[in-house]
């Protein structure tokens, strides 16, 4: 499949802003003009197009409008940069907080392990004391004088 020769001149409009008669130049060169501001693609774009210049009054107007727009864009850009810096600071604080929480969690786990060990040691000591008290009570009962059976015991 052969490609069609490029015969379209994509030129930003409006066409009256040019010093030259762009329509006459296009007819002489066998080109069709399409406003480059609204064209979606550049299919069949001509490679050799006439040179044109913009009238001075439109250049000055464009410069003023572009200057105002550039100032607006710069202000928005500065706001975005400030927000990005604020987000970076928040992310840094969050990372530091996360590290502190992880450190506290590890310390809590170690304290829980120590508490469990201490609870086991306390339970072992309590059992030892209960056993010792039971031995002392048994020894006290064994060494107590035996009493004679009383009348209440005989009946």
């Amino acid at each position: 499949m052969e490609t069609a020769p490029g015969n379209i001149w994509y030129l930003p409009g409006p066409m009256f802003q040019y010093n030259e008669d762009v329509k006459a130049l296009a007819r002489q060169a066998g080109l069709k003009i399409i406003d480059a501001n609204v064209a979606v693609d550049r299919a069949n774009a001509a490679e050799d197009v006439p040179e044109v210049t913009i009238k001075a009054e439109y250049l000055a107007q464009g410069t003023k409008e572009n200057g105002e727009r550039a100032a607006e864009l710069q202000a928005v850009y500065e706001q975005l940069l400030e927000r990005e810096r604020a987000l970076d600071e928040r992310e840094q604080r969050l990372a530091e907080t996360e590290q502190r929480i992880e450190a506290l969690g590890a310390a809590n786990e170690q304290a829980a392990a120590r508490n469990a060990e201490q609870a086991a040691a306390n339970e072992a000591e309590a059992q030892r004391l209960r056993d010792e008290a039971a031995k002392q009570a048994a020894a006290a009962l064994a060494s107590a004088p035996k009493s004679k059976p009383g009348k209440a015991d005989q009946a």
Side-chain angles (χ1 to χ4, degrees), residues 16-57:
F16 59 80
Q17 71 179 338
Y18 297 102
N19 286 316
E20 298 79 14
D21 182 357
V22 293
K23 293 178 182 177
L25 290 172
R27 275 191 300 275
Q28 289 172 358
L31 300 174
K32 178 180 176 183
I33 298 176
I34 294 184
D35 190 342
N37 294 323
V38 297
V40 177
D41 62 10
R42 300 290 189 259
N44 297 327
E47 292 182 19
D48 187 27
V49 294
E51 291 289 325
V52 293
T53 56
I54 297 176
K55 294 177 182 175
E57 64 264 21

mmCIF file of all heavy atoms in Angstrom, residues 16-57:
data_model
loop_
_atom_site.group_PDB
_atom_site.id
_atom_site.type_symbol
_atom_site.label_atom_id
_atom_site.label_comp_id
_atom_site.label_asym_id
_atom_site.label_seq_id
_atom_site.Cartn_x
_atom_site.Cartn_y
_atom_site.Cartn_z
ATOM 1 N N PHE A 16 -5.507 35.206 9.781
ATOM 2 C CA PHE A 16 -5.310 36.642 9.570
ATOM 3 C C PHE A 16 -4.151 37.194 10.407
ATOM 4 O O PHE A 16 -3.757 38.337 10.248
ATOM 5 C CB PHE A 16 -6.596 37.433 9.867
ATOM 6 C CG PHE A 16 -7.110 37.279 11.272
ATOM 7 C CD1 PHE A 16 -6.558 37.995 12.330
ATOM 8 C CD2 PHE A 16 -8.160 36.404 11.536
ATOM 9 C CE1 PHE A 16 -7.048 37.849 13.612
ATOM 10 C CE2 PHE A 16 -8.648 36.264 12.819
ATOM 11 C CZ PHE A 16 -8.087 36.976 13.861
ATOM 12 N N GLN A 17 -3.585 36.376 11.304
ATOM 13 C CA GLN A 17 -2.482 36.859 12.124
ATOM 14 C C GLN A 17 -1.145 36.894 11.369
ATOM 15 O O GLN A 17 -0.166 37.439 11.851
ATOM 16 C CB GLN A 17 -2.341 35.994 13.382
ATOM 17 C CG GLN A 17 -1.809 34.594 13.108
ATOM 18 C CD GLN A 17 -1.645 33.774 14.369
ATOM 19 O OE1 GLN A 17 -1.529 34.316 15.451
ATOM 20 N NE2 GLN A 17 -1.650 32.451 14.213
ATOM 21 N N TYR A 18 -1.126 36.346 10.146
ATOM 22 C CA TYR A 18 0.129 36.271 9.393
ATOM 23 C C TYR A 18 0.283 37.473 8.461
ATOM 24 O O TYR A 18 -0.691 37.986 7.915
ATOM 25 C CB TYR A 18 0.182 34.959 8.591
ATOM 26 C CG TYR A 18 0.179 33.748 9.504
ATOM 27 C CD1 TYR A 18 -0.981 33.003 9.698
ATOM 28 C CD2 TYR A 18 1.328 33.379 10.194
ATOM 29 C CE1 TYR A 18 -1.003 31.917 10.546
ATOM 30 C CE2 TYR A 18 1.317 32.283 11.046
ATOM 31 C CZ TYR A 18 0.158 31.554 11.224
ATOM 32 O OH TYR A 18 0.150 30.492 12.070
ATOM 33 N N ASN A 19 1.526 37.903 8.305
ATOM 34 C CA ASN A 19 1.830 39.000 7.391
ATOM 35 C C ASN A 19 1.542 38.606 5.941
ATOM 36 O O ASN A 19 1.138 39.435 5.134
ATOM 37 C CB ASN A 19 3.306 39.414 7.514
ATOM 38 C CG ASN A 19 3.577 40.181 8.789
ATOM 39 O OD1 ASN A 19 2.810 41.055 9.168
ATOM 40 N ND2 ASN A 19 4.672 39.842 9.460
ATOM 41 N N GLU A 20 1.750 37.353 5.607
ATOM 42 C CA GLU A 20 1.567 36.866 4.244
ATOM 43 C C GLU A 20 0.122 36.402 4.027
ATOM 44 O O GLU A 20 -0.585 36.098 4.975
ATOM 45 C CB GLU A 20 2.510 35.679 3.973
ATOM 46 C CG GLU A 20 3.989 36.024 4.065
ATOM 47 C CD GLU A 20 4.505 36.094 5.513
ATOM 48 O OE1 GLU A 20 3.809 35.628 6.437
ATOM 49 O OE2 GLU A 20 5.589 36.615 5.716
ATOM 50 N N ASP A 21 -0.268 36.338 2.761
ATOM 51 C CA ASP A 21 -1.579 35.782 2.402
ATOM 52 C C ASP A 21 -1.394 34.265 2.335
ATOM 53 O O ASP A 21 -0.995 33.701 1.314
ATOM 54 C CB ASP A 21 -2.038 36.346 1.045
ATOM 55 C CG ASP A 21 -3.414 35.841 0.641
ATOM 56 O OD1 ASP A 21 -4.004 35.013 1.381
ATOM 57 O OD2 ASP A 21 -3.900 36.267 -0.426
ATOM 58 N N VAL A 22 -1.651 33.597 3.453
ATOM 59 C CA VAL A 22 -1.356 32.167 3.551
ATOM 60 C C VAL A 22 -2.230 31.348 2.598
ATOM 61 O O VAL A 22 -1.790 30.309 2.098
ATOM 62 C CB VAL A 22 -1.499 31.656 5.010
ATOM 63 C CG1 VAL A 22 -0.436 32.264 5.897
ATOM 64 C CG2 VAL A 22 -2.874 31.908 5.575
ATOM 65 N N LYS A 23 -3.444 31.810 2.323
ATOM 66 C CA LYS A 23 -4.311 31.069 1.404
ATOM 67 C C LYS A 23 -3.739 31.082 -0.014
ATOM 68 O O LYS A 23 -3.740 30.077 -0.710
ATOM 69 C CB LYS A 23 -5.726 31.643 1.428
ATOM 70 C CG LYS A 23 -6.430 31.415 2.765
ATOM 71 C CD LYS A 23 -7.807 32.020 2.782
ATOM 72 C CE LYS A 23 -8.446 31.812 4.155
ATOM 73 N NZ LYS A 23 -9.761 32.443 4.250
ATOM 74 N N ALA A 24 -3.223 32.233 -0.424
ATOM 75 C CA ALA A 24 -2.626 32.323 -1.760
ATOM 76 C C ALA A 24 -1.350 31.482 -1.827
ATOM 77 O O ALA A 24 -1.108 30.785 -2.819
ATOM 78 C CB ALA A 24 -2.308 33.780 -2.098
ATOM 79 N N LEU A 25 -0.548 31.516 -0.750
ATOM 80 C CA LEU A 25 0.667 30.696 -0.719
ATOM 81 C C LEU A 25 0.324 29.211 -0.806
ATOM 82 O O LEU A 25 1.011 28.444 -1.486
ATOM 83 C CB LEU A 25 1.471 30.977 0.551
ATOM 84 C CG LEU A 25 2.151 32.344 0.648
ATOM 85 C CD1 LEU A 25 2.749 32.544 2.038
ATOM 86 C CD2 LEU A 25 3.230 32.478 -0.416
ATOM 87 N N ALA A 26 -0.736 28.800 -0.135
ATOM 88 C CA ALA A 26 -1.143 27.395 -0.158
ATOM 89 C C ALA A 26 -1.595 26.990 -1.555
ATOM 90 O O ALA A 26 -1.241 25.913 -2.040
ATOM 91 C CB ALA A 26 -2.267 27.156 0.858
ATOM 92 N N ARG A 27 -2.374 27.875 -2.242
ATOM 93 C CA ARG A 27 -2.823 27.563 -3.603
ATOM 94 C C ARG A 27 -1.628 27.420 -4.543
ATOM 95 O O ARG A 27 -1.575 26.497 -5.346
ATOM 96 C CB ARG A 27 -3.758 28.655 -4.118
ATOM 97 C CG ARG A 27 -5.207 28.479 -3.714
ATOM 98 C CD ARG A 27 -6.127 29.437 -4.483
ATOM 99 N NE ARG A 27 -5.831 30.847 -4.272
ATOM 100 C CZ ARG A 27 -6.292 31.573 -3.252
ATOM 101 N NH1 ARG A 27 -7.085 31.030 -2.359
ATOM 102 N NH2 ARG A 27 -5.972 32.840 -3.142
ATOM 103 N N GLN A 28 -0.664 28.329 -4.425
ATOM 104 C CA GLN A 28 0.509 28.288 -5.290
ATOM 105 C C GLN A 28 1.325 27.016 -5.071
ATOM 106 O O GLN A 28 1.870 26.447 -6.021
ATOM 107 C CB GLN A 28 1.412 29.501 -5.043
ATOM 108 C CG GLN A 28 0.845 30.798 -5.534
ATOM 109 C CD GLN A 28 1.699 31.991 -5.090
ATOM 110 O OE1 GLN A 28 2.686 31.832 -4.387
ATOM 111 N NE2 GLN A 28 1.269 33.183 -5.508
ATOM 112 N N ALA A 29 1.395 26.547 -3.826
ATOM 113 C CA ALA A 29 2.197 25.362 -3.518
ATOM 114 C C ALA A 29 1.391 24.079 -3.646
ATOM 115 O O ALA A 29 1.935 22.985 -3.478
ATOM 116 C CB ALA A 29 2.763 25.475 -2.097
ATOM 117 N N GLY A 30 0.082 24.193 -3.946
ATOM 118 C CA GLY A 30 -0.762 23.004 -4.072
ATOM 119 C C GLY A 30 -1.027 22.337 -2.726
ATOM 120 O O GLY A 30 -1.145 21.120 -2.645
ATOM 121 N N LEU A 31 -1.136 23.158 -1.692
ATOM 122 C CA LEU A 31 -1.350 22.636 -0.335
ATOM 123 C C LEU A 31 -2.747 22.970 0.168
ATOM 124 O O LEU A 31 -3.365 23.941 -0.261
ATOM 125 C CB LEU A 31 -0.314 23.241 0.624
ATOM 126 C CG LEU A 31 1.159 22.974 0.319
ATOM 127 C CD1 LEU A 31 2.047 23.766 1.265
ATOM 128 C CD2 LEU A 31 1.457 21.486 0.414
ATOM 129 N N LYS A 32 -3.207 22.166 1.094
ATOM 130 C CA LYS A 32 -4.476 22.407 1.770
ATOM 131 C C LYS A 32 -4.132 22.803 3.207
ATOM 132 O O LYS A 32 -3.357 22.127 3.875
ATOM 133 C CB LYS A 32 -5.329 21.131 1.750
ATOM 134 C CG LYS A 32 -6.628 21.256 2.463
ATOM 135 C CD LYS A 32 -7.398 19.935 2.393
ATOM 136 C CE LYS A 32 -8.666 20.057 3.198
ATOM 137 N NZ LYS A 32 -9.405 18.791 3.226
ATOM 138 N N ILE A 33 -4.716 23.909 3.709
ATOM 139 C CA ILE A 33 -4.418 24.386 5.066
ATOM 140 C C ILE A 33 -5.409 23.776 6.057
ATOM 141 O O ILE A 33 -6.615 23.784 5.825
ATOM 142 C CB ILE A 33 -4.506 25.926 5.154
ATOM 143 C CG1 ILE A 33 -3.468 26.574 4.242
ATOM 144 C CG2 ILE A 33 -4.321 26.378 6.593
ATOM 145 C CD1 ILE A 33 -3.554 28.085 4.200
ATOM 146 N N ILE A 34 -4.856 23.250 7.146
ATOM 147 C CA ILE A 34 -5.668 22.781 8.276
ATOM 148 C C ILE A 34 -5.102 23.446 9.524
ATOM 149 O O ILE A 34 -3.885 23.496 9.727
ATOM 150 C CB ILE A 34 -5.641 21.248 8.410
ATOM 151 C CG1 ILE A 34 -6.330 20.619 7.200
ATOM 152 C CG2 ILE A 34 -6.293 20.795 9.720
ATOM 153 C CD1 ILE A 34 -6.467 19.128 7.252
ATOM 154 N N ASP A 35 -6.017 23.956 10.352
ATOM 155 C CA ASP A 35 -5.606 24.642 11.590
ATOM 156 C C ASP A 35 -4.916 23.640 12.523
ATOM 157 O O ASP A 35 -5.519 22.663 12.987
ATOM 158 C CB ASP A 35 -6.824 25.263 12.274
ATOM 159 C CG ASP A 35 -6.441 26.178 13.427
ATOM 160 O OD1 ASP A 35 -5.298 26.094 13.930
ATOM 161 O OD2 ASP A 35 -7.304 26.981 13.840
ATOM 162 N N ALA A 36 -3.652 23.867 12.788
ATOM 163 C CA ALA A 36 -2.868 22.956 13.627
ATOM 164 C C ALA A 36 -3.353 22.941 15.071
ATOM 165 O O ALA A 36 -3.080 21.994 15.806
ATOM 166 C CB ALA A 36 -1.390 23.354 13.578
ATOM 167 N N ASN A 37 -4.082 23.960 15.488
ATOM 168 C CA ASN A 37 -4.583 24.014 16.866
ATOM 169 C C ASN A 37 -5.684 22.991 17.122
ATOM 170 O O ASN A 37 -5.920 22.605 18.262
ATOM 171 C CB ASN A 37 -5.116 25.411 17.196
ATOM 172 C CG ASN A 37 -4.011 26.442 17.202
ATOM 173 O OD1 ASN A 37 -2.893 26.165 17.620
ATOM 174 N ND2 ASN A 37 -4.324 27.627 16.724
ATOM 175 N N VAL A 38 -6.379 22.569 16.074
ATOM 176 C CA VAL A 38 -7.503 21.660 16.249
ATOM 177 C C VAL A 38 -7.282 20.301 15.610
ATOM 178 O O VAL A 38 -8.094 19.401 15.790
ATOM 179 C CB VAL A 38 -8.821 22.275 15.718
ATOM 180 C CG1 VAL A 38 -9.191 23.512 16.501
ATOM 181 C CG2 VAL A 38 -8.705 22.589 14.243
ATOM 182 N N ALA A 39 -6.195 20.125 14.884
ATOM 183 C CA ALA A 39 -5.927 18.851 14.218
ATOM 184 C C ALA A 39 -5.500 17.810 15.248
ATOM 185 O O ALA A 39 -4.692 18.083 16.128
ATOM 186 C CB ALA A 39 -4.839 19.030 13.164
ATOM 187 N N VAL A 40 -6.056 16.606 15.109
ATOM 188 C CA VAL A 40 -5.739 15.528 16.038
ATOM 189 C C VAL A 40 -4.387 14.909 15.710
ATOM 190 O O VAL A 40 -3.587 14.629 16.588
ATOM 191 C CB VAL A 40 -6.849 14.450 16.018
ATOM 192 C CG1 VAL A 40 -6.492 13.292 16.914
ATOM 193 C CG2 VAL A 40 -8.178 15.056 16.414
ATOM 194 N N ASP A 41 -4.132 14.681 14.447
ATOM 195 C CA ASP A 41 -2.845 14.104 14.059
ATOM 196 C C ASP A 41 -2.275 14.890 12.882
ATOM 197 O O ASP A 41 -2.823 15.906 12.486
ATOM 198 C CB ASP A 41 -2.988 12.616 13.724
ATOM 199 C CG ASP A 41 -3.914 12.370 12.537
ATOM 200 O OD1 ASP A 41 -4.297 13.347 11.855
ATOM 201 O OD2 ASP A 41 -4.252 11.207 12.298
ATOM 202 N N ARG A 42 -1.188 14.435 12.393
ATOM 203 C CA ARG A 42 -0.528 15.144 11.288
ATOM 204 C C ARG A 42 -0.406 14.227 10.064
ATOM 205 O O ARG A 42 0.637 14.131 9.430
ATOM 206 C CB ARG A 42 0.878 15.627 11.707
ATOM 207 C CG ARG A 42 0.882 16.594 12.888
ATOM 208 C CD ARG A 42 0.294 17.915 12.466
ATOM 209 N NE ARG A 42 0.449 18.934 13.477
ATOM 210 C CZ ARG A 42 -0.500 19.320 14.307
ATOM 211 N NH1 ARG A 42 -1.669 18.742 14.265
ATOM 212 N NH2 ARG A 42 -0.298 20.283 15.173
ATOM 213 N N ALA A 43 -1.496 13.545 9.721
ATOM 214 C CA ALA A 43 -1.493 12.658 8.560
ATOM 215 C C ALA A 43 -1.319 13.468 7.286
ATOM 216 O O ALA A 43 -1.903 14.539 7.139
ATOM 217 C CB ALA A 43 -2.798 11.862 8.515
ATOM 218 N N ASN A 44 -0.520 12.959 6.381
ATOM 219 C CA ASN A 44 -0.262 13.578 5.070
ATOM 220 C C ASN A 44 0.293 14.992 5.188
ATOM 221 O O ASN A 44 0.004 15.856 4.354
ATOM 222 C CB ASN A 44 -1.525 13.582 4.205
ATOM 223 C CG ASN A 44 -1.996 12.191 3.878
ATOM 224 O OD1 ASN A 44 -1.180 11.276 3.727
ATOM 225 N ND2 ASN A 44 -3.297 12.007 3.779
ATOM 226 N N ALA A 45 1.067 15.242 6.212
ATOM 227 C CA ALA A 45 1.652 16.574 6.382
ATOM 228 C C ALA A 45 2.696 16.819 5.294
ATOM 229 O O ALA A 45 3.510 15.954 4.977
ATOM 230 C CB ALA A 45 2.300 16.693 7.750
ATOM 231 N N ALA A 46 2.643 18.015 4.727
ATOM 232 C CA ALA A 46 3.612 18.399 3.701
ATOM 233 C C ALA A 46 4.949 18.695 4.366
ATOM 234 O O ALA A 46 5.008 19.235 5.469
ATOM 235 C CB ALA A 46 3.110 19.621 2.955
ATOM 236 N N GLU A 47 6.024 18.308 3.681
ATOM 237 C CA GLU A 47 7.348 18.546 4.242
ATOM 238 C C GLU A 47 7.888 19.924 3.863
ATOM 239 O O GLU A 47 8.596 20.546 4.636
ATOM 240 C CB GLU A 47 8.308 17.452 3.777
ATOM 241 C CG GLU A 47 7.962 16.102 4.364
ATOM 242 C CD GLU A 47 8.945 15.029 3.935
ATOM 243 O OE1 GLU A 47 10.056 15.368 3.496
ATOM 244 O OE2 GLU A 47 8.587 13.850 4.050
ATOM 245 N N ASP A 48 7.552 20.389 2.682
ATOM 246 C CA ASP A 48 8.069 21.672 2.206
ATOM 247 C C ASP A 48 6.918 22.672 2.191
ATOM 248 O O ASP A 48 6.078 22.665 1.287
ATOM 249 C CB ASP A 48 8.662 21.504 0.798
ATOM 250 C CG ASP A 48 9.355 22.769 0.319
ATOM 251 O OD1 ASP A 48 9.830 23.543 1.180
ATOM 252 O OD2 ASP A 48 9.401 22.976 -0.907
ATOM 253 N N VAL A 49 6.864 23.528 3.232
ATOM 254 C CA VAL A 49 5.782 24.510 3.342
ATOM 255 C C VAL A 49 6.389 25.913 3.299
ATOM 256 O O VAL A 49 7.551 26.109 3.657
ATOM 257 C CB VAL A 49 4.968 24.316 4.647
ATOM 258 C CG1 VAL A 49 4.237 22.986 4.617
ATOM 259 C CG2 VAL A 49 5.844 24.418 5.857
ATOM 260 N N PRO A 50 5.618 26.916 2.872
ATOM 261 C CA PRO A 50 6.130 28.285 2.799
ATOM 262 C C PRO A 50 6.447 28.846 4.192
ATOM 263 O O PRO A 50 5.846 28.445 5.198
ATOM 264 C CB PRO A 50 4.978 29.064 2.162
ATOM 265 C CG PRO A 50 4.112 28.049 1.509
ATOM 266 C CD PRO A 50 4.286 26.800 2.298
ATOM 267 N N GLU A 51 7.385 29.750 4.250
ATOM 268 C CA GLU A 51 7.726 30.447 5.488
ATOM 269 C C GLU A 51 6.746 31.598 5.676
ATOM 270 O O GLU A 51 6.472 32.342 4.733
ATOM 271 C CB GLU A 51 9.151 31.012 5.413
ATOM 272 C CG GLU A 51 10.238 29.953 5.407
ATOM 273 C CD GLU A 51 10.390 29.253 6.752
ATOM 274 O OE1 GLU A 51 10.202 29.915 7.798
ATOM 275 O OE2 GLU A 51 10.682 28.049 6.755
ATOM 276 N N VAL A 52 6.223 31.736 6.889
ATOM 277 C CA VAL A 52 5.304 32.826 7.192
ATOM 278 C C VAL A 52 5.734 33.472 8.507
ATOM 279 O O VAL A 52 6.406 32.852 9.324
ATOM 280 C CB VAL A 52 3.839 32.335 7.288
ATOM 281 C CG1 VAL A 52 3.338 31.880 5.926
ATOM 282 C CG2 VAL A 52 3.681 31.231 8.304
ATOM 283 N N THR A 53 5.301 34.729 8.680
ATOM 284 C CA THR A 53 5.614 35.451 9.916
ATOM 285 C C THR A 53 4.326 36.025 10.493
ATOM 286 O O THR A 53 3.386 36.345 9.759
ATOM 287 C CB THR A 53 6.605 36.606 9.644
ATOM 288 O OG1 THR A 53 6.052 37.456 8.645
ATOM 289 C CG2 THR A 53 7.959 36.076 9.191
ATOM 290 N N ILE A 54 4.311 36.146 11.811
ATOM 291 C CA ILE A 54 3.136 36.673 12.502
ATOM 292 C C ILE A 54 3.254 38.184 12.588
ATOM 293 O O ILE A 54 4.346 38.722 12.828
ATOM 294 C CB ILE A 54 3.011 36.037 13.901
ATOM 295 C CG1 ILE A 54 2.801 34.525 13.756
ATOM 296 C CG2 ILE A 54 1.873 36.654 14.691
ATOM 297 C CD1 ILE A 54 2.752 33.767 15.058
ATOM 298 N N LYS A 55 2.126 38.883 12.418
ATOM 299 C CA LYS A 55 2.096 40.348 12.501
ATOM 300 C C LYS A 55 2.532 40.789 13.899
ATOM 301 O O LYS A 55 2.256 40.112 14.897
ATOM 302 C CB LYS A 55 0.694 40.874 12.205
ATOM 303 C CG LYS A 55 0.248 40.619 10.777
ATOM 304 C CD LYS A 55 -1.172 41.098 10.563
ATOM 305 C CE LYS A 55 -1.630 40.788 9.139
ATOM 306 N NZ LYS A 55 -3.042 41.128 8.913
ATOM 307 N N ALA A 56 3.171 41.934 13.971
ATOM 308 C CA ALA A 56 3.740 42.440 15.228
ATOM 309 C C ALA A 56 2.684 42.609 16.314
ATOM 310 O O ALA A 56 2.929 42.288 17.485
ATOM 311 C CB ALA A 56 4.462 43.763 14.982
ATOM 312 N N GLU A 57 1.507 43.122 15.952
ATOM 313 C CA GLU A 57 0.485 43.349 16.982
ATOM 314 C C GLU A 57 0.014 42.035 17.622
ATOM 315 O O GLU A 57 -0.342 41.996 18.788
ATOM 316 C CB GLU A 57 -0.721 44.133 16.436
ATOM 317 C CG GLU A 57 -1.514 43.439 15.355
ATOM 318 C CD GLU A 57 -1.121 43.847 13.935
ATOM 319 O OE1 GLU A 57 -0.003 44.352 13.734
ATOM 320 O OE2 GLU A 57 -1.956 43.667 13.042
#
